[in-house]
Amino acid sequence: MIGQGSGNSNKSCCLYRAPWVVPVSSPVLQDGAVVVDDNRIIAVGPYHELARRFPQLPLVSCRGVLLPALVNAHIHLELSILGSVHPDSPNSSMCDWISALLQKRLAANLSKEDIEVAAAKTVIDQYASGVGLMLDIGNQSLQRRDATPIEIISLLEMLAPSQKAQQAVIASFADLPNDISVTGHSPYSTGPDLLKFIKERCRQQETIFSFHLAENEDEALLLIHGEGCFVNFLKQRGAWDKTYPVQGIDSRGVVGYLEDLNLLDAETLCVHCVHLTDEEIRVVAGAGAHICLCPGSNRFLSVGTAPLGKILAAGVLPALGTDSIASNTVLDLWQEMCILRQEHPNVDSASILAMATLGGAMALHREADYGSLAPNRSASFLHIQGKEYEGVGDTRQLLDRLVSCGRPESISRVQAEL
Ligand SMILES: [Zn+2]
């Protein structure tokens, strides 16, 4: 940035001018500007308009693109220490991958300190990549991360597929501090009684209920027919009882089952959603529930490609998540956008960028602060630069490059440079 102060010594209030401003919630501005006061955005618009409205403010000229911080709506920081987990065979199922993950975690004999250190490194890299807000899910309570540069919403994830295990976990809630937010893992690993119990706690505490849904085809096979790879997996772990197949599950499939359990509402975040039927998408959308896609993880595990076009057509703007490094090659939302760009050529680039910003903010109910450049939003937005953004001709070309060129050469925070 090149400061061009006009003599006003109040450095916390500035007018930022850039060749491109991408508010996400409103049209892209060429030669745009953003006015910031302390930690909030005051105004966004064409430079010449804002320069007339705020003639007294110091001007900061930016060379690149201004856009909101990214929102990573699904990550497991506690798995950072494991690195990518590859099952033995290229033809292995998702159950094989889960087994390999559990074995690696057991064999590594990790201390809590080791896990914390690796998680902290991931947070720093997420911040460097432009993430401002994330939803982290783990099986143990790690230290609070209030001092980290990213705002992190942490959920403690409960798994219990058998009746016995469900009742034991429900009993354990009596000793659980109220300030620990809890969620389930998935319909195949967290039984119906426990899912209902957790969702009711989420409603009382007004917290997000997030779980893995329709990540692979074996999930529906287990719930509807009591078949598929999860049967052996649960048997091997001594967790097989009469819980699955679920009695009374109807032709609406897994999503209908969740609807019957009263789990779907605006505070529910369904992660992955690779194998949803058209009817299931309609039910999720009708309930006002949110969806988070993790295309890098889906590719890594070869579980398929989520029906993004149909989800958007149903009126749902999904969020985007990296999932953990155990099921991905890199934790980078720029890379996730690239994968979406490749896999969904008919989806416009503006929607893909909106997923990584506004979609995540909406899913986490933080759109008043994150996800767009608009009055009252956080001033901690991004200024990105790179050769790919020099000489851009029009809005469409800019948006295409934002979602297809990967992590920019330079990512900085406007607020941090005040
Ligand atoms: Zn996950």
Side-chain angles (χ1 to χ4, degrees):
M1 288 191 194
I2 304 167
Q4 296 176 3
S6 60
N8 188 330
S9 60
N10 179 10
K11 285 195 76 182
S12 67
C13 193
C14 293
L15 191 155
Y16 290 90
R17 179 185 189 180
W20 295 100
V21 175
V22 184
V24 176
S25 57
S26 58
V28 173
L29 299 160
Q30 188 164 11
D31 193 13
V34 182
V35 175
V36 170
D37 185 4
D38 282 333
N39 298 322
R40 295 283 138 186
I41 293 173
I42 300 295
V44 180
Y47 167 69
H48 62 89
E49 258 183 50
L50 295 192
R52 266 204 309 272
R53 275 179 63 195
F54 301 92
Q56 78 286 7
L57 290 184
L59 171 66
V60 179
S61 292
C62 306
R63 298 181 190 279
V65 184
L66 302 182
L67 73 162
L70 308 182
V71 179
N72 190 345
H74 187 73
I75 192 168
H76 307 276
L77 289 172
E78 71 180 15
L79 299 181
S80 298
I81 193 167
L82 296 178
S84 299
V85 174
H86 296 271
D88 295 338
S89 158
N91 299 320
S92 55
S93 68
M94 190 173 156
C95 296
D96 297 326
W97 175 81
I98 296 173
S99 296
L101 169 67
L102 296 175
Q103 273 173 17
K104 191 169 181 179
R105 188 148 71 170
L106 204 62
N109 194 21
L110 303 164
S111 72
K112 201 163 182 181
E113 188 183 353
D114 293 338
I115 295 169
E116 295 276 8
V117 168
K121 281 183 186 165
T122 297
V123 172
I124 290 168
D125 184 61
Q126 287 290 292
Y127 181 76
S129 77
V131 170
L133 171 69
M134 66 164 64
L135 178 63
D136 174 44
I137 295 170
N139 299 130
Q140 55 184 309
S141 288
L142 299 181
Q143 68 185 39
R144 297 188 77 94
R145 298 180 188 280
D146 299 339
T148 61
I150 296 180
E151 183 172 342
I152 302 175
I153 300 170
S154 300
L155 302 181
L156 182 63
E157 178 186 74
M158 300 290 194
L159 294 90
S162 69
Q163 276 296 333
K164 197 174 155 191
Q166 287 181 74
Q167 295 314 314
V169 171
I170 289 171
S172 75
F173 274 79
D175 300 323
L176 197 66
N178 272 336
D179 63 347
I180 293 181
S181 300
V182 175
T183 198
H185 175 260
S186 80
Y188 65 78
S189 53
T190 309
D193 292 343
L194 182 55
L195 283 173
K196 281 195 291 188
F197 184 88
I198 293 172
K199 178 62 186 177
E200 189 50 40
R201 188 177 187 269
C202 289
R203 285 195 175 105
Q204 287 170 9
Q205 300 192 336
E206 299 182 342
T207 54
I208 303 290
F209 177 71
S210 174
F211 61 102
H212 304 77
L213 175 67
E215 184 175 0
N216 70 100
E217 289 173 313
D218 288 68
E219 179 179 321
L221 280 177
L222 175 75
L223 269 75
I224 299 170
H225 304 294
E227 297 172 358
C229 77
F230 287 112
V231 176
N232 278 340
F233 178 80
L234 292 174
K235 283 179 178 171
Q236 284 165 9
R237 299 185 66 78
W240 181 252
D241 62 5
K242 301 287 185 199
T243 304
Y244 307 106
V246 177
Q247 298 304 310
I249 190 166
D250 61 21
S251 59
R252 292 175 302 151
V254 176
V255 170
Y257 161 66
L258 299 176
E259 192 183 32
D260 289 346
L261 292 177
N262 192 23
L263 300 181
L264 299 176
D265 60 27
E267 283 71 40
T268 294
L269 178 56
C270 306
V271 181
H272 292 296
C273 296
V274 176
H275 297 282
L276 292 188
T277 64
D278 294 359
E279 171 65 6
E280 287 178 313
I281 293 171
R282 191 193 65 74
V283 172
V284 171
H290 293 272
I291 288 174
C292 175
L293 303 190
C294 303
S297 173
N298 299 154
R299 179 179 280 190
F300 184 95
L301 294 175
S302 303
V303 293
T305 303
L308 175 57
K310 290 180 176 179
I311 293 170
L312 289 168
V316 178
L317 175 66
L320 200 52
T322 57
D323 218 323
S324 78
I325 193 63
S327 66
N328 212 333
T329 54
V330 62
L331 300 185
D332 185 343
L333 285 178
W334 300 96
Q335 173 66 17
E336 301 296 327
M337 287 192 277
C338 288
I339 295 173
L340 289 180
R341 173 72 292 149
Q342 293 162 10
E343 293 180 342
H344 304 277
N346 295 327
V347 171
D348 64 290
S349 296
S351 294
I352 294 173
L353 182 66
M355 289 172 64
T357 50
L358 187 58
M362 289 166 63
L364 305 185
H365 291 264
R366 296 304 312 279
E367 65 268 35
D369 291 319
Y370 297 97
S372 62
L373 301 184
N376 294 322
R377 303 297 187 277
S378 167
S380 186
F381 54 88
L382 307 181
H383 175 212
I384 63 167
Q385 297 179 82
K387 284 194 279 295
E388 58 272 33
Y389 303 114
E390 295 168 5
V392 167
D394 57 33
T395 295
R396 186 174 171 163
Q397 192 177 34
L398 173 71
L399 291 168
D400 284 344
R401 292 187 185 184
L402 282 170
V403 302
S404 58
C405 293
R407 193 187 287 205
E409 284 171 35
S410 165
I411 301 174
S412 56
R413 258 75 172 180
V414 165
Q415 187 196 40
E417 295 169 12
L418 286 171

